[in-house]
Each structure stands twice: as structure tokens, then as C-alpha cells.
Amino acid sequence: RSSKPQPETIAAIATAAGSGGIGIVRVSGSASQSIAKAILGDCPAPRHAAYLGFKDVNGELIDRGIAIYYAAPNSYTGEDVLELQAHGGPALMQLLLARCLELGARQAEPGEFTRRAYLNEKLDLAQAEAVADVINASTIEAARSAMRSLSGDFSKLVHQLLDQLINLRMYVEACLDFPEEEIDFITQGSVAEKLSRIATELRAISHQAQQGNLLREGMQVVLVGQPNVGKSSLTNALAGEEIAIVTPIAGTTRDTVKSLIQIKGVPLHIIDTAGLRETEDEVEKFGIARTWQALEKANIALLLVDAANGIGEHEKLVIARLPQELSKIWVHNKIDLNFQPEHSDDAELNKARIETKQGDTHIYLSAKTGEGLVLLREELLKRAGWQSTGEGVFMARSRHLNALAEVKRHLDIAKDQLSQPELLAEELRLAQESLGTITGEFTPDDLLGEIFSRFCIGK
Ligand code: GDP
Ligand code: ZN
């Protein structure tokens, strides 16, 4: 992968923006050593922490801190790397970065360190993507699953499957060289059986990947209901102690109608449609337009009603405006108040319950007392397709799911081509190629650009 000319030396602030106890400027490339000498007076021994003064062009002290030098190929990027750990003030960090740029480095692009790690075969593509997913994980389970992908759990399964596909392909292609006997080879040989074994493993990997993807993407849940029906209370009750870790993304801070919570580690983006009323206020109009946009991406709508009142005209009007394909759950709230269950032998025991009526799901609960909340949590996870304890789940992106679906498609076609070895061989080749895009064996440059540009700078 790395037959290109010597890349430029890059530098970036690796720690988060703002001030912190420690800030790190990272340099990667062949100039790392000379930059170390210029700033530190001498280049520290590889992989040894050295406490030194960091000096500017006039020999004046910028800061005193820890410097670590890594000689290629034993570094994150596989190149010579210098890490300067200083006090984490933004001005100081800028000064230190400027010093590195002055000494011949250029500012790193987003994800460029990891991109180089990938190009130098320190990581495969699925692992490189997992670096960003570890950093951006919104729940602990998501972070753990991303860590499993970064450690290579996902890649290992992909490689095992690739090996089997390659073996089968070689077998089929060898048969092509003996035209008279080829059909016999294919039918008598265990090609069909091998194909079905590969398909079974592919199914297992796809299932795992879907679970991991859910931890990454979460569910978009819309809350619909009249004022005072308990939308905010339900959000808080569902969240409980489990508030997700929200990373502020530019432009979302004004989005007061959205909150991020989690159920068993699955992120839930909750959109409160309370803001969906008629208005003349420009700012509010903008917010409403955004809420409608969010609605279009939603997976599930929670339709809240007061259990004592049931479903009325207002609710019918609102659901008529919701996208048809949206999965819906009726939530009858406030069962702790004067609400009489319709058909129940022991009313007190059966207030909190889940029912299916005319294909719709109805859950009776109380956001205030928490009664019946567990039913809603379970139903939400079920609708999302979560069938796991989270144990052993590795993180996967939509890109990976699409590739796995592509592999399945080619294997399905292959299965029907057992009597036509040329076509069979071709489908196996295509299946192998699709599978290889996950770990980056077959990956076009523009895709790489897209993947790494979404990283933060300094990673
Ligand atoms: P929203 O306008 O739909 O967001 O409704 P809120 O969550 O602000 O709740 C409106 C009022 O109903 C508040 O006074 C809540 O304390 C109360 N409330 C919400 N859920 C329940 C419930 O399950 N039982 C009872 N008794 N009161 C509730
Ligand atoms: Zn509210």
C-alpha cells in the first residue's frame, strides 16, 4: 500500500480544544527528529519519557514538559513520531504547534495520523474507523464495542471468512482448467456444502455487525402528545440515571427539543414534538423545520395520551401528519391517577401492561411512579432489533453492513450457478472483493478520503 514518495511531516494538537491539565502536540514524519532537536536541544531516546524544556526560536522557554520520541516503524503512524506533552492551555498549545510548523511540519488534516497508520499497515480500515468510533461513542457500551473493533475482533472474523472464500475460489478456478471434468468436480466436490457453510458464517457476522451498528447509530424516537401529557417526564423517567454522554456537535446546541438518553447502552435520540405548533416567530419556525426534518429520519414514534382520557381527535390529527412507515407505540401515561382499566379482573395488579389492539401496541404506564416503564424499555429495544446483552458485540458502520449485504447477494447468485463454473467463479470473486472493502484490501482512494475526513484533527 505504501509505495508513494516520502510523505511530509505533519503536526497537530492531539488533545481536545479548550484548556486542560495536559495538552499534547503530536508530530509525525521524517522531520520529527530534527524538530525534537530544535525544540528540546536533543532528541530523547526512543520510547522514553524525558522531562525537558520546550524552547522557541530565540531559545526562550515556551513550557517545560514531557517529550516522547518514537522511531519508525514502532509508532502509532509507523513513521518517526514526536509527542510533546505540555500544560494544556490553548495559547500554549498554539505556540508549540506554531514552533513545529516553523521547523518544517505542516498542519495535519483531520484523521491524517490514523490514515498514515492505515497506509503503513498498523491498522486495517475497519480498525481505523473504530478509532473514530471509540472517540465519538455516546454510551459506555458503544465505546466498548468500538474498542473490540479497534482490537481487531471484527477484522479477524472478516479475514477468516475471506480465507474460506479464497480457498473455495481457488478450488473452483482450478476446476476450470479441466473442462471435461469440471462439472463433476463442482458437483461431486463439496462446493455447495462449503458455500452454505460460508453463508452461515456470513449471517452470524452480519447479525453481530447489525447489533454493533445499533450501538453506534442508536434509535431516533419521536415524542408526540398534547401539552402536559407527560412528554418531558417520560423522557426523564426513561433516562433515569442513564444519561448518555453527549458530545456537542456544531449547530446542535440550539436544538432544545432533542435529548440523548440510552437504554442498556443503546443510544436513544429523543425528539420532543412539543415545538411543532403554528408560529410567526422566525427563530421558532426554524426550530420547527428542523424538528420535521428529524421526524423524517425517525424510527419510532411514541404517541402519548392521558390514560384517563384515551385517544382523542387531536391524536388522530397528529398521526395523520406523521410518516406512514414510522413504527408507532401508544403510551397511556398517568395510570397512577384516576384511571380505570377497561378489561381487567384485578384492576390494581394490571394497570401497567402492554396490549395489542388492531395491530397497534398500547403500553399503560406512569412516568411519575415508574410503573410499566420496563415494558416500554423492552418494547423500544425490541423494535430497534436489539437482541444482545452487549457482551462481545463489535462496532460496525453502515458501510460495513452494506458490504456484508453485497457479499450475501453474490453468494446467493453463486449458489444458483453450480453448473456454470465460470459464473460461479466470478460471483465468488465479487463476494471476496466486497468483503475485502471492510478491512480495506479493496478500497478506492475517494472512499479513504471520505472516511478519514470525518475524523477530528490530531487523530
Ligand atoms: P409535557 O408538557 O408533555 O412535557 O408534560 P410534562 O412532562 O411537563 O408533565 C406535565 C405534568 O404532568 C407535570 O406536572 C408532571 O409532573 C405531571 N405528570 C407527568 N407524568 C405523570 C404521571 O405519570 N403521573 C402523574 N400523576 N403526573 C404526571
Ligand atoms: Zn415538556
Side-chain angles (χ1 to χ4, degrees), residues 197-219:
R197 204 175 310 143
I198 292 175
T200 305
E201 267 174 52
L202 178 68
R203 253 197 310 281
I205 297 176
S206 300
H207 175 76
Q208 282 280 77
Q210 267 155 17
Q211 299 294 299
N213 188 246
L214 197 53
L215 286 179
R216 182 173 194 271
E217 308 290 336
M219 280 183 268

Side-chain angles (χ1 to χ4, degrees), residues 298-321:
N299 314 113
I300 300 171
L302 294 184
L303 309 165
L304 252 76
V305 295
D306 189 317
N309 304 337
I311 299 163
E313 283 311 309
H314 174 87
E315 284 75 26
K316 286 175 186 156
L317 278 174
V318 175
I319 56 166
R321 289 183 72 187

Side-chain angles (χ1 to χ4, degrees), residues 296 298-299 322-328:
E296 274 162 26
N299 314 113
L322 292 177
Q324 277 303 306
E325 61 284 358
L326 198 59
S327 168
K328 299 175 186 74

